[in-house]
Amino acid sequence: MEAAVKTNWIIDPTHSEVHFKVKHLVISTVTGTFKSFAGSMESENEDFQDAAIEFILDVDSIDTNQEQRDGHLKSADFFDAAQFPKISFKSTSFKKVGDDYELAGDLTVKNVSKPVKLNVEFGGTATDFYGNDKAGFEVSGKISRKEFGLTWDGITEAGAIVVGDEIKLQINVQFAKQA
């Protein structure tokens, strides 16, 4: 029997993006991105089943298109970027479910690790103009910010909650195969 060959992939940041959405005043949605991140995937299978995936976000790169709000998010009220500069994810399983995948793993925010499950749509593989093999994935899911110690709450004079608890994640990644 032939030994399994491990294939290493790294995220191509120029063809990847990390978005999140959160309710503001319960009536509208604020969208943000992380501009700086890195990730890797190690796979023994061409269909990526059981791949090991790691991902790191640079908290200081958060961007909601509003400088004052970004500063507040980086402060101790929320992410406390000075003390906890990274958000990390390490997979515990990557299982094929129909045409798509379920990605399970441990998400760590502010030194609080919790298991999360994310949905993954496989976009396919292709070879770019330079002969590099690429693989594309769309990752989506929801988490509770309060479970990760992001507990700041504001209430307006009328009693409306300023920031919702549920965070929607939308991550589009392109991995580049390493030689």
Side-chain angles (χ1 to χ4, degrees):
M1 188 163 117
E2 222 175 283
V5 176
K6 289 187 180 184
T7 306
N8 292 308
W9 301 74
I10 61 167
I11 285 183
D12 175 355
T14 59
H15 297 105
S16 301
E17 53 193 16
V18 177
H19 296 279
F20 63 89
K21 294 180 181 288
V22 62
K23 286 288 188 188
H24 181 253
L25 297 175
V26 191
I27 59 168
S28 65
T29 300
V30 170
T31 300
T33 62
F34 287 92
K35 299 289 190 185
S36 178
F37 49 86
S40 64
M41 175 171 61
E42 184 179 88
S43 177
E44 292 183 4
N45 302 304
E46 282 189 24
D47 69 355
F48 300 102
Q49 175 93 347
D50 297 322
I53 300 165
E54 293 189 24
F55 198 78
I56 294 175
L57 298 168
D58 179 2
V59 173
D60 208 38
S61 74
I62 198 166
D63 183 359
T64 63
N65 210 25
Q66 212 278 329
E67 199 174 320
Q68 188 176 354
R69 178 173 48 223
D70 295 345
H72 191 205
L73 289 170
K74 293 174 193 178
S75 78
D77 281 349
F78 284 96
F79 288 107
D80 197 355
Q83 190 173 347
F84 305 103
K86 304 289 182 200
I87 294 171
S88 64
F89 174 84
K90 185 173 180 141
S91 69
T92 54
S93 73
F94 190 58
K95 301 286 182 206
K96 202 158 176 131
V97 179
D99 291 336
D100 296 323
Y101 294 85
E102 180 184 82
L103 174 60
D106 295 318
L107 180 65
T108 303
V109 180
K110 290 179 74 172
N111 257 8
V112 176
S113 292
K114 298 277 182 186
V116 297
K117 284 189 179 174
L118 303 168
N119 301 311
V120 181
E121 187 177 315
F122 178 47
T125 57
T127 303
D128 69 11
F129 289 120
Y130 308 103
N132 300 307
D133 293 327
K134 303 288 185 102
F137 299 89
E138 269 189 39
V139 182
S140 62
K142 297 176 185 177
I143 62 168
S144 160
R145 70 178 174 91
K146 292 179 181 179
E147 286 184 4
F148 293 94
L150 304 174
T151 56
W152 183 88
D153 270 326
I155 306 289
T156 65
E157 284 184 28
I161 296 170
V162 176
V163 181
D165 177 43
E166 183 181 86
I167 308 296
K168 292 180 182 176
L169 304 173
Q170 185 67 43
I171 303 165
N172 297 305
V173 290
Q174 188 177 104
F175 282 93
K177 187 176 185 178
Q178 300 302 288

